[in-house]
Coordinates of all heavy atoms in Angstrom, one line a residue:
M229 N 67.7 31.7 200.8 CA 67.1 30.4 200.5 C 68.3 29.4 200.5 O 69.2 29.5 199.7 CB 66.3 30.4 199.2 CG 66.0 29.0 198.7 SD 64.2 28.9 198.5 CE 64.1 27.4 197.6
P230 N 68.2 28.4 201.4 CA 69.3 27.4 201.4 C 69.3 26.5 200.2 O 68.3 26.3 199.6 CB 69.0 26.6 202.7 CG 67.6 26.7 203.0 CD 67.2 28.0 202.4
I231 N 70.5 26.1 199.8 CA 70.6 25.2 198.6 C 70.1 23.8 199.0 O 70.3 23.3 200.1 CB 72.1 25.2 198.1 CG1 72.2 24.3 196.9 CG2 73.0 24.7 199.2 CD1 73.3 24.6 196.0
A232 N 69.5 23.1 198.0 CA 68.9 21.8 198.3 C 69.9 20.7 198.3 O 71.0 20.8 197.6 CB 67.9 21.5 197.2
R233 N 69.7 19.7 199.1 CA 70.5 18.5 199.2 C 70.1 17.7 198.0 O 69.0 17.6 197.6 CB 70.1 17.7 200.4 CG 71.1 17.6 201.5 CD 70.6 16.9 202.7 NE 70.9 15.5 202.6 CZ 70.7 14.6 203.6 NH1 70.2 15.1 204.7 NH2 71.0 13.4 203.5
L234 N 71.1 17.0 197.4 CA 70.8 16.0 196.3 C 70.1 14.8 196.9 O 70.3 14.4 198.0 CB 72.1 15.6 195.6 CG 72.9 16.7 194.9 CD1 74.1 16.1 194.2 CD2 72.1 17.5 193.9
T235 N 69.2 14.2 196.1 CA 68.6 13.0 196.5 C 69.6 11.8 196.5 O 70.6 11.9 195.9 CB 67.4 12.6 195.6 OG1 67.9 12.4 194.3 CG2 66.4 13.8 195.5
D236 N 69.2 10.7 197.1 CA 70.1 9.5 197.1 C 70.3 9.1 195.7 O 71.5 8.7 195.3 CB 69.4 8.4 197.9 CG 69.5 8.7 199.4 OD1 70.1 9.7 199.8 OD2 68.8 7.9 200.2
A237 N 69.3 9.1 194.9 CA 69.5 8.7 193.4 C 70.4 9.7 192.7 O 71.2 9.2 191.9 CB 68.1 8.7 192.8
E238 N 70.3 10.9 193.0 CA 71.2 11.9 192.3 C 72.7 11.7 192.8 O 73.6 11.8 192.0 CB 70.8 13.3 192.6 CG 69.5 13.7 191.9 CD 68.9 15.1 192.4 OE1 69.1 15.4 193.6 OE2 68.2 15.7 191.5
V239 N 72.8 11.4 194.1 CA 74.2 11.2 194.6 C 74.7 9.9 194.0 O 75.9 9.8 193.6 CB 74.2 11.1 196.1 CG1 75.5 10.6 196.6 CG2 73.8 12.4 196.7
A240 N 73.9 8.8 193.8 CA 74.4 7.6 193.2 C 74.8 7.8 191.8 O 75.8 7.3 191.4 CB 73.3 6.5 193.3
A241 N 74.0 8.6 191.0 CA 74.4 8.9 189.7 C 75.7 9.7 189.6 O 76.5 9.5 188.7 CB 73.2 9.7 189.0
L242 N 75.8 10.6 190.5 CA 77.0 11.5 190.6 C 78.3 10.6 190.8 O 79.3 10.8 190.1 CB 76.9 12.5 191.7 CG 78.1 13.3 192.1 CD1 78.4 14.2 190.9 CD2 77.8 14.1 193.3
L243 N 78.2 9.7 191.7 CA 79.3 8.8 192.0 C 79.7 7.9 190.9 O 80.9 7.6 190.7 CB 79.0 8.0 193.3 CG 79.1 8.8 194.6 CD1 78.5 8.0 195.8 CD2 80.5 9.2 194.9
E244 N 78.7 7.6 190.0 CA 79.0 6.8 188.8 C 80.0 7.6 187.9 O 80.8 7.0 187.2 CB 77.8 6.5 188.0 CG 76.7 5.7 188.7 CD 76.8 4.3 188.3 OE1 76.8 4.0 187.1 OE2 76.8 3.4 189.2
D245 N 79.9 8.9 188.0 CA 80.6 9.8 187.1 C 82.0 10.2 187.7 O 82.8 10.9 187.1 CB 79.9 11.1 187.0 CG 79.1 11.2 185.7 OD1 79.1 10.2 184.9 OD2 78.5 12.2 185.4
L246 N 82.2 9.7 189.0 CA 83.4 10.2 189.7 C 84.1 9.0 190.3 O 84.1 8.7 191.5 CB 83.0 11.1 190.8 CG 82.4 12.5 190.5 CD1 81.8 13.2 191.7 CD2 83.5 13.4 189.9
P247 N 84.9 8.3 189.4 CA 85.6 7.1 189.9 C 86.6 7.6 191.0 O 87.3 8.6 190.8 CB 86.3 6.6 188.7 CG 85.7 7.3 187.5 CD 85.0 8.5 188.0
G248 N 86.8 6.8 192.0 CA 87.7 7.2 193.1 C 87.1 8.0 194.2 O 87.6 8.0 195.3
W249 N 85.9 8.5 193.9 CA 85.2 9.2 195.0 C 84.2 8.3 195.7 O 83.7 7.4 195.0 CB 84.4 10.4 194.4 CG 85.3 11.6 194.0 CD1 86.0 11.6 192.8 CD2 85.6 12.8 194.7 NE1 86.7 12.8 192.8 CE2 86.5 13.5 193.9 CE3 85.1 13.3 195.9 CZ2 87.0 14.8 194.3 CZ3 85.6 14.6 196.3 CH2 86.5 15.3 195.5
A250 N 83.9 8.5 196.9 CA 83.0 7.6 197.7 C 82.2 8.5 198.6 O 82.5 9.6 198.9 CB 83.8 6.6 198.5
L251 N 81.1 7.8 199.1 CA 80.2 8.5 200.0 C 80.8 8.3 201.4 O 81.3 7.2 201.8 CB 78.9 7.8 199.9 CG 77.6 8.5 200.4 CD1 77.5 9.8 199.6 CD2 76.4 7.6 200.0
R252 N 80.9 9.3 202.2 CA 81.3 9.2 203.6 C 80.3 8.3 204.3 O 79.1 8.2 203.9 CB 81.3 10.6 204.3 CG 82.1 10.6 205.6 CD 82.3 12.0 206.1 NE 81.0 12.6 206.5 CZ 80.9 13.9 206.8 NH1 81.9 14.7 206.8 NH2 79.7 14.4 207.1
E253 N 80.7 7.7 205.4 CA 79.9 6.6 206.1 C 78.5 7.1 206.4 O 77.6 6.4 206.3 CB 80.7 6.2 207.3 CG 80.4 4.7 207.7 CD 81.3 4.3 208.8 OE1 82.0 5.1 209.4 OE2 81.2 3.1 209.1
D254 N 78.4 8.4 206.8 CA 77.1 8.9 207.2 C 76.3 9.3 206.0 O 75.1 9.8 206.2 CB 77.3 10.1 208.2 CG 78.0 11.3 207.6 OD1 78.3 11.3 206.4 OD2 78.3 12.2 208.3
G255 N 76.8 9.2 204.8 CA 76.1 9.6 203.6 C 75.9 11.1 203.3 O 75.2 11.5 202.4
L256 N 76.6 11.9 204.1 CA 76.4 13.3 204.0 C 77.5 14.1 203.3 O 77.5 15.3 203.3 CB 76.2 13.9 205.4 CG 75.0 13.4 206.2 CD1 74.9 14.0 207.6 CD2 73.7 13.6 205.4
A257 N 78.5 13.3 202.8 CA 79.6 14.0 202.2 C 80.3 13.1 201.1 O 80.1 11.8 201.2 CB 80.7 14.4 203.2
L258 N 81.0 13.7 200.2 CA 81.8 13.0 199.2 C 83.3 13.0 199.7 O 83.7 14.0 200.2 CB 81.7 13.7 197.8 CG 80.4 13.9 197.2 CD1 80.5 14.8 196.0 CD2 79.8 12.5 196.8
E259 N 84.0 11.9 199.5 CA 85.4 11.8 199.9 C 86.2 11.3 198.8 O 85.8 10.5 198.0 CB 85.5 10.9 201.1 CG 84.8 11.3 202.3 CD 85.0 10.3 203.5 OE1 85.0 9.0 203.2 OE2 85.2 10.7 204.6
C260 N 87.5 11.8 198.8 CA 88.5 11.3 197.8 C 89.9 11.5 198.4 O 90.1 12.6 199.0 CB 88.3 11.9 196.5 SG 89.1 11.0 195.2
G261 N 90.7 10.6 198.1 CA 92.1 10.8 198.5 C 93.0 10.9 197.2 O 92.7 10.2 196.2
F262 N 94.0 11.7 197.3 CA 94.9 11.9 196.1 C 96.3 11.8 196.6 O 96.7 12.2 197.7 CB 94.7 13.4 195.6 CG 93.3 13.7 195.2 CD1 92.4 14.2 196.1 CD2 92.9 13.4 193.9 CE1 91.1 14.5 195.7 CE2 91.5 13.7 193.5 CZ 90.7 14.2 194.4
E263 N 97.1 11.2 195.7 CA 98.5 11.0 196.0 C 99.4 11.6 194.9 O 99.1 11.3 193.7 CB 98.9 9.5 196.2 CG 100.2 9.3 196.8 CD 100.4 7.8 197.3 OE1 99.5 7.2 197.8 OE2 101.5 7.4 197.1
F264 N 100.4 12.4 195.3 CA 101.2 13.0 194.3 C 102.7 12.6 194.5 O 103.0 11.8 195.4 CB 101.1 14.6 194.5 CG 99.7 15.1 194.3 CD1 98.8 15.1 195.3 CD2 99.3 15.4 193.0 CE1 97.5 15.6 195.1 CE2 98.0 15.9 192.8 CZ 97.1 15.9 193.8
D265 N 103.6 13.0 193.6 CA 105.0 12.6 193.7 C 105.6 13.2 195.0 O 106.5 12.5 195.6 CB 105.8 13.1 192.5 CG 105.4 12.3 191.3 OD1 104.8 11.2 191.4 OD2 105.7 12.7 190.1
D266 N 105.3 14.4 195.3 CA 105.9 15.0 196.5 C 105.0 16.1 197.0 O 103.9 16.4 196.5 CB 107.3 15.6 196.0 CG 107.2 16.5 194.8 OD1 106.1 17.1 194.6 OD2 108.2 16.6 194.1
F267 N 105.5 16.8 198.0 CA 104.7 17.9 198.7 C 104.5 19.0 197.8 O 103.4 19.6 197.8 CB 105.5 18.4 199.9 CG 104.8 19.5 200.6 CD1 103.6 19.3 201.4 CD2 105.2 20.8 200.4 CE1 103.0 20.4 201.9 CE2 104.6 21.9 201.0 CZ 103.4 21.7 201.8
S268 N 105.5 19.4 196.9 CA 105.3 20.5 196.1 C 104.1 20.3 195.1 O 103.3 21.2 194.9 CB 106.6 20.7 195.3 OG 106.5 21.7 194.4
Q269 N 104.0 19.1 194.6 CA 102.9 18.8 193.7 C 101.5 18.8 194.4 O 100.5 19.3 193.9 CB 103.1 17.5 193.0 CG 104.1 17.6 191.8 CD 104.0 16.4 190.9 OE1 103.0 15.6 190.9 NE2 105.0 16.1 190.1
A270 N 101.6 18.2 195.6 CA 100.3 18.2 196.4 C 99.9 19.6 196.7 O 98.7 20.0 196.6 CB 100.6 17.4 197.7
F271 N 100.8 20.5 197.1 CA 100.4 21.8 197.5 C 100.0 22.7 196.3 O 99.1 23.5 196.4 CB 101.6 22.5 198.3 CG 101.1 23.7 199.1 CD1 100.4 23.5 200.3 CD2 101.3 25.0 198.6 CE1 99.9 24.6 201.0 CE2 100.8 26.0 199.4 CZ 100.1 25.8 200.5
S272 N 100.6 22.4 195.2 CA 100.2 23.1 194.0 C 98.8 22.8 193.6 O 97.9 23.6 193.3 CB 101.2 22.7 192.9 OG 100.6 22.9 191.6
F273 N 98.4 21.5 193.8 CA 97.0 21.0 193.6 C 96.1 21.7 194.6 O 95.0 22.3 194.2 CB 97.0 19.5 193.7 CG 95.6 18.9 193.9 CD1 94.7 18.9 192.8 CD2 95.2 18.4 195.1 CE1 93.5 18.3 193.0 CE2 94.0 17.8 195.3 CZ 93.1 17.8 194.2
M274 N 96.5 21.8 195.8 CA 95.7 22.4 196.8 C 95.5 23.9 196.5 O 94.4 24.4 196.8 CB 96.3 22.2 198.2 CG 96.3 20.8 198.7 SD 97.2 20.6 200.3 CE 96.0 21.2 201.4
T275 N 96.5 24.5 196.0 CA 96.4 25.9 195.6 C 95.3 26.1 194.5 O 94.5 27.0 194.6 CB 97.7 26.5 195.1 OG1 98.7 26.3 196.2 CG2 97.6 28.0 194.8
R276 N 95.3 25.2 193.6 CA 94.3 25.3 192.5 C 92.9 25.1 193.1 O 91.9 25.8 192.7 CB 94.6 24.3 191.4 CG 95.9 24.5 190.6 CD 96.0 23.7 189.4 NE 96.1 22.3 189.6 CZ 97.3 21.6 189.9 NH1 98.4 22.3 190.0 NH2 97.3 20.3 190.0
V277 N 92.8 24.1 194.0 CA 91.5 23.9 194.6 C 91.1 25.1 195.4 O 89.9 25.5 195.4 CB 91.5 22.6 195.5 CG1 90.2 22.4 196.2 CG2 91.8 21.4 194.6
A278 N 92.0 25.7 196.2 CA 91.7 26.8 197.0 C 91.2 28.0 196.2 O 90.2 28.7 196.6 CB 92.9 27.2 197.8
L279 N 91.8 28.2 195.0 CA 91.4 29.3 194.2 C 89.9 29.1 193.7 O 89.1 30.0 193.6 CB 92.3 29.5 193.0 CG 93.7 30.1 193.4 CD1 94.7 30.0 192.2 CD2 93.6 31.5 194.0
Y280 N 89.6 27.9 193.3 CA 88.3 27.5 192.9 C 87.3 27.8 194.0 O 86.2 28.3 193.9 CB 88.2 26.0 192.4 CG 86.8 25.6 192.2 CD1 86.3 25.5 190.9 CD2 86.0 25.1 193.2 CE1 85.0 25.1 190.6 CE2 84.7 24.7 192.9 CZ 84.2 24.7 191.6 OH 82.9 24.3 191.4
A281 N 87.7 27.3 195.2 CA 86.9 27.4 196.4 C 86.5 28.8 196.7 O 85.3 29.2 197.0 CB 87.5 26.8 197.6
E282 N 87.5 29.7 196.6 CA 87.2 31.1 196.9 C 86.3 31.7 195.9 O 85.3 32.5 196.2 CB 88.5 31.9 197.0 CG 89.2 31.8 198.3 CD 88.3 32.5 199.4 OE1 88.3 33.7 199.6 OE2 87.6 31.7 200.1
K283 N 86.5 31.4 194.6 CA 85.7 31.9 193.5 C 84.2 31.4 193.7 O 83.3 32.1 193.5 CB 86.2 31.4 192.2 CG 86.4 32.5 191.2 CD 86.9 31.9 189.9 CE 87.9 32.9 189.2 NZ 88.5 32.2 188.0
A284 N 84.1 30.1 194.0 CA 82.8 29.5 194.1 C 82.1 29.7 195.5 O 80.9 29.4 195.7 CB 82.9 28.0 193.9
D285 N 82.9 30.3 196.4 CA 82.4 30.5 197.8 C 81.9 29.1 198.3 O 80.8 29.0 199.0 CB 81.3 31.5 197.9 CG 81.0 31.9 199.4 OD1 81.9 31.7 200.2 OD2 79.9 32.3 199.7
H286 N 82.7 28.1 198.1 CA 82.4 26.7 198.5 C 83.7 26.1 198.9 O 84.6 26.0 198.0 CB 81.6 26.0 197.4 CG 81.0 24.7 197.9 ND1 80.0 24.7 198.9 CD2 81.2 23.4 197.7 CE1 79.7 23.5 199.2 NE2 80.4 22.7 198.5
H287 N 83.8 25.6 200.1 CA 85.1 25.3 200.7 C 85.2 23.8 201.1 O 84.3 23.3 201.7 CB 85.4 26.2 201.8 CG 85.4 27.7 201.4 ND1 84.3 28.4 201.4 CD2 86.4 28.4 200.9 CE1 84.6 29.6 201.0 NE2 85.9 29.7 200.6
P288 N 86.3 23.2 200.7 CA 86.5 21.8 201.1 C 86.9 21.6 202.5 O 87.5 22.5 203.1 CB 87.6 21.3 200.2 CG 88.5 22.6 200.0 CD 87.5 23.7 200.0
E289 N 86.7 20.5 203.1 CA 87.3 20.0 204.3 C 88.4 19.1 203.8 O 88.2 18.2 203.0 CB 86.4 19.2 205.2 CG 85.2 20.1 205.7 CD 84.1 19.2 206.4 OE1 84.4 18.1 206.9 OE2 83.0 19.7 206.4
W290 N 89.7 19.4 204.3 CA 90.7 18.6 203.7 C 91.9 18.4 204.6 O 92.0 19.1 205.7 CB 91.2 19.2 202.4 CG 91.6 20.6 202.3 CD1 91.8 21.5 203.4 CD2 92.0 21.4 201.2 NE1 92.2 22.7 203.0 CE2 92.3 22.7 201.6 CE3 92.0 21.1 199.8 CZ2 92.7 23.7 200.7 CZ3 92.3 22.1 199.0 CH2 92.7 23.4 199.4
S291 N 92.8 17.5 204.3 CA 94.0 17.3 205.1 C 95.1 17.0 204.1 O 94.9 16.6 202.9 CB 93.8 16.0 206.0 OG 93.6 14.9 205.2
N292 N 96.3 17.3 204.6 CA 97.5 17.0 203.7 C 98.6 16.5 204.6 O 98.9 17.0 205.7 CB 97.9 18.4 203.1 CG 99.4 18.3 202.6 OD1 100.2 19.1 203.0 ND2 99.7 17.4 201.7
V293 N 99.2 15.4 204.2 CA 100.4 14.8 204.8 C 101.4 14.6 203.7 O 101.1 13.7 202.8 CB 100.1 13.5 205.5 CG1 101.4 13.0 206.2 CG2 99.0 13.7 206.6
Y294 N 102.4 15.4 203.6 CA 103.4 15.3 202.6 C 102.8 15.3 201.2 O 102.4 16.3 200.6 CB 104.4 14.2 202.9 CG 105.5 14.1 201.8 CD1 106.3 15.2 201.5 CD2 105.8 12.9 201.1 CE1 107.3 15.1 200.5 CE2 106.8 12.8 200.2 CZ 107.5 13.9 199.9 OH 108.5 13.8 198.9
N295 N 102.8 14.1 200.6 CA 102.3 14.0 199.2 C 100.9 13.6 199.0 O 100.4 13.3 197.9 CB 103.2 13.0 198.4 CG 103.1 11.6 198.9 OD1 102.8 11.4 200.0 ND2 103.4 10.6 198.0
R296 N 100.2 13.5 200.2 CA 98.8 13.0 200.1 C 97.8 14.1 200.5 O 98.1 14.9 201.4 CB 98.6 11.8 201.1 CG 99.2 10.5 200.5 CD 99.0 9.3 201.4 NE 100.0 9.4 202.5 CZ 99.6 9.4 203.8 NH1 98.3 9.2 204.1 NH2 100.5 9.5 204.7
V297 N 96.7 14.1 199.8 CA 95.7 15.1 200.1 C 94.3 14.4 200.2 O 94.0 13.6 199.4 CB 95.6 16.2 199.0 CG1 94.4 17.2 199.3 CG2 96.9 16.9 198.8
G298 N 93.6 14.6 201.3 CA 92.3 14.0 201.5 C 91.3 15.2 201.4 O 91.4 16.2 202.0
I299 N 90.2 14.9 200.6 CA 89.2 16.0 200.4 C 87.8 15.4 200.8 O 87.4 14.4 200.3 CB 89.2 16.5 199.0 CG1 90.6 17.2 198.7 CG2 88.1 17.5 198.8 CD1 90.7 18.0 197.4
T300 N 87.1 16.2 201.6 CA 85.7 15.9 201.9 C 84.9 17.1 201.4 O 85.2 18.2 201.8 CB 85.6 15.7 203.4 OG1 86.4 14.6 203.8 CG2 84.1 15.4 203.8
L301 N 83.8 16.8 200.7 CA 82.9 17.8 200.2 C 81.6 17.6 200.7 O 80.9 16.6 200.6 CB 82.9 17.8 198.6 CG 84.2 18.0 197.9 CD1 84.0 17.9 196.4 CD2 84.9 19.3 198.3
T302 N 81.1 18.6 201.4 CA 79.7 18.6 201.9 C 79.2 20.1 201.9 O 80.1 21.0 201.9 CB 79.6 18.0 203.3 OG1 78.3 17.9 203.7 CG2 80.3 18.8 204.4
T303 N 77.9 20.3 202.0 CA 77.4 21.7 202.0 C 76.7 21.9 203.3 O 75.7 21.3 203.6 CB 76.4 21.9 200.8 OG1 77.1 21.6 199.6 CG2 75.9 23.3 200.8
H304 N 77.4 22.7 204.1 CA 76.8 23.0 205.5 C 75.4 23.5 205.4 O 74.5 23.1 206.1 CB 77.7 23.9 206.2 CG 79.2 23.5 206.1 ND1 80.2 24.3 205.6 CD2 79.8 22.3 206.4 CE1 81.3 23.6 205.6 NE2 81.1 22.4 206.1
D305 N 75.2 24.4 204.4 CA 73.9 25.1 204.2 C 72.8 24.1 203.8 O 71.6 24.4 204.0 CB 74.0 26.2 203.1 CG 74.9 27.4 203.6 OD1 75.2 27.5 204.8 OD2 75.2 28.2 202.7
A306 N 73.2 23.0 203.3 CA 72.2 22.0 202.8 C 72.1 20.8 203.8 O 71.2 20.0 203.7 CB 72.6 21.5 201.4
G307 N 73.1 20.7 204.7 CA 73.1 19.6 205.6 C 73.4 18.3 204.9 O 73.0 17.2 205.3
G308 N 74.2 18.3 203.8 CA 74.6 17.1 203.1 C 75.2 17.5 201.8 O 75.7 18.6 201.6
I309 N 75.0 16.6 200.8 CA 75.7 16.9 199.5 C 74.7 17.7 198.6 O 73.5 17.3 198.4 CB 76.0 15.5 198.8 CG1 77.0 14.7 199.7 CG2 76.5 15.7 197.4 CD1 77.0 13.2 199.3
S310 N 75.3 18.7 198.0 CA 74.5 19.5 197.1 C 75.1 19.6 195.7 O 76.2 19.1 195.5 CB 74.3 21.0 197.6 OG 75.5 21.7 197.4
Q311 N 74.5 20.3 194.8 CA 75.1 20.5 193.4 C 76.4 21.2 193.5 O 77.3 21.0 192.7 CB 74.1 21.3 192.6 CG 74.5 21.4 191.1 CD 74.6 20.0 190.5 OE1 73.8 19.1 190.7 NE2 75.7 19.8 189.7
R312 N 76.6 22.0 194.6 CA 77.9 22.7 194.7 C 79.1 21.7 194.9 O 80.2 21.9 194.4 CB 77.9 23.7 195.9 CG 77.0 24.9 195.6 CD 77.1 25.9 196.8 NE 76.0 26.8 196.6 CZ 75.4 27.5 197.6 NH1 75.8 27.3 198.8 NH2 74.4 28.3 197.3
D313 N 78.8 20.6 195.7 CA 79.8 19.6 195.9 C 80.0 18.8 194.6 O 81.2 18.5 194.3 CB 79.3 18.6 197.0 CG 79.1 19.4 198.3 OD1 80.0 20.1 198.8 OD2 77.9 19.3 198.8
A314 N 79.0 18.6 193.9 CA 79.1 17.9 192.6 C 80.0 18.7 191.6 O 80.9 18.2 191.0 CB 77.7 17.6 192.0
D315 N 79.7 20.0 191.5 CA 80.4 20.9 190.6 C 81.9 20.9 191.1 O 82.8 20.9 190.2 CB 79.8 22.3 190.7 CG 78.5 22.4 190.0 OD1 78.1 21.4 189.3 OD2 77.8 23.4 190.3
M316 N 82.1 21.0 192.4 CA 83.5 21.1 192.9 C 84.3 19.8 192.6 O 85.4 19.8 192.2 CB 83.5 21.4 194.4 CG 84.8 21.8 194.9 SD 84.7 22.6 196.5 CE 86.3 23.3 196.6
A317 N 83.6 18.7 192.8 CA 84.3 17.4 192.6 C 84.7 17.3 191.1 O 85.8 16.9 190.8 CB 83.4 16.2 193.0
H318 N 83.8 17.7 190.2 CA 84.1 17.6 188.8 C 85.3 18.6 188.5 O 86.2 18.3 187.7 CB 82.9 18.0 187.9 CG 81.9 16.8 187.9 ND1 82.2 15.6 187.3 CD2 80.6 16.7 188.3 CE1 81.2 14.8 187.4 NE2 80.2 15.5 187.9
A319 N 85.2 19.8 189.1 CA 86.3 20.8 188.9 C 87.6 20.3 189.4 O 88.7 20.4 188.7 CB 85.9 22.1 189.6
I320 N 87.6 19.6 190.5 CA 88.8 19.0 191.1 C 89.4 18.0 190.1 O 90.6 17.9 189.9 CB 88.6 18.5 192.5 CG1 88.4 19.6 193.5 CG2 89.7 17.5 192.9 CD1 87.9 19.2 194.9
E321 N 88.6 17.1 189.6 CA 89.0 16.1 188.7 C 89.7 16.7 187.5 O 90.7 16.2 186.9 CB 87.9 15.2 188.2 CG 87.4 14.2 189.3 CD 88.5 13.3 189.7 OE1 89.1 12.7 188.9 OE2 88.7 13.1 190.9
A322 N 89.2 17.9 187.0 CA 89.7 18.6 185.9 C 91.1 19.2 186.2 O 91.8 19.6 185.3 CB 88.8 19.6 185.3
M323 N 91.4 19.4 187.5 CA 92.6 20.0 187.9 C 93.8 19.0 188.0 O 94.9 19.4 188.2 CB 92.5 20.6 189.3 CG 91.6 21.9 189.3 SD 91.3 22.3 191.0 CE 89.8 23.3 190.8
L324 N 93.5 17.8 187.9 CA 94.6 16.8 188.2 C 95.5 16.7 187.0 O 95.2 17.0 185.9 CB 93.9 15.4 188.4 CG 93.2 15.3 189.8 CD1 92.3 14.1 189.8 CD2 94.2 15.4 190.9
Ligands
H2B592 N1 81.4 25.8 202.0 C1 80.8 24.6 202.2 N2 81.4 23.5 202.0 N3 79.5 24.6 202.6 C2 78.8 25.7 202.8 O1 77.6 25.7 203.1 C3 79.5 27.0 202.6 C4 80.8 26.9 202.2 N4 78.8 28.1 202.8 N5 81.5 28.1 202.1 C5 79.4 29.3 202.4 C6 80.9 29.4 202.4 C7 78.8 30.4 203.3 O2 79.2 30.2 204.7 C8 79.0 31.8 202.8 C9 78.4 32.8 203.8 O3 78.4 31.9 201.6

């Protein structure tokens, strides 16, 4: 059974709780950019996110350029944003 997409109202409420995060232009993903002092800190953060992702079996789309990390969260199985993305965004915030 595929996981459900959050409703627009649920996504709006979620974003209220996640300063710095925004809706992707198509409304199907959450996006956030992070900046660290250097590559080592950025990669250490990515390692923490990767360990969460493997445990949760939910994986980010992301990019890294030196001290910057861009993260996009969407649930392929839901065709948009699901509770798994909400949980992951909150977990990421707790890792900073
Ligand atoms: N990650 C994300 N972001 N969305 C998914 O739908 C997803 C995933 N599905 N990681 C998982 C893996 C699925 O492919 C496995 C088989 O559970």
Side-chain angles (χ1 to χ4, degrees):
M229 167 124 169
I231 181 156
R233 250 176 89 171
L234 297 183
T235 64
D236 289 351
E238 285 169 334
V239 171
L242 173 65
L243 285 169
E244 297 261 311
D245 262 3
L246 291 169
W249 289 78
L251 204 54
R252 196 170 67 189
E253 213 173 4
D254 63 6
L256 299 178
L258 302 172
E259 294 182 321
C260 196
F262 303 90
E263 193 169 320
F264 299 89
D265 287 345
D266 52 27
F267 175 75
S268 176
Q269 282 195 20
F271 198 76
S272 157
F273 166 72
M274 292 175 79
T275 303
R276 295 194 292 279
V277 175
L279 291 172
Y280 174 96
E282 275 298 277
K283 230 184 217 171
D285 191 26
H286 193 63
H287 300 88
E289 296 172 23
W290 56 8
S291 64
N292 163 238
V293 179
Y294 181 52
N295 65 333
R296 284 179 287 126
V297 178
I299 296 187
T300 299
L301 300 180
T302 188
T303 301
H304 312 120
D305 292 347
I309 298 164
S310 76
Q311 189 58 43
R312 288 182 195 154
D313 301 304
D315 293 345
M316 191 167 194
H318 285 298
I320 287 170
E321 286 300 312
M323 289 173 201
L324 292 168

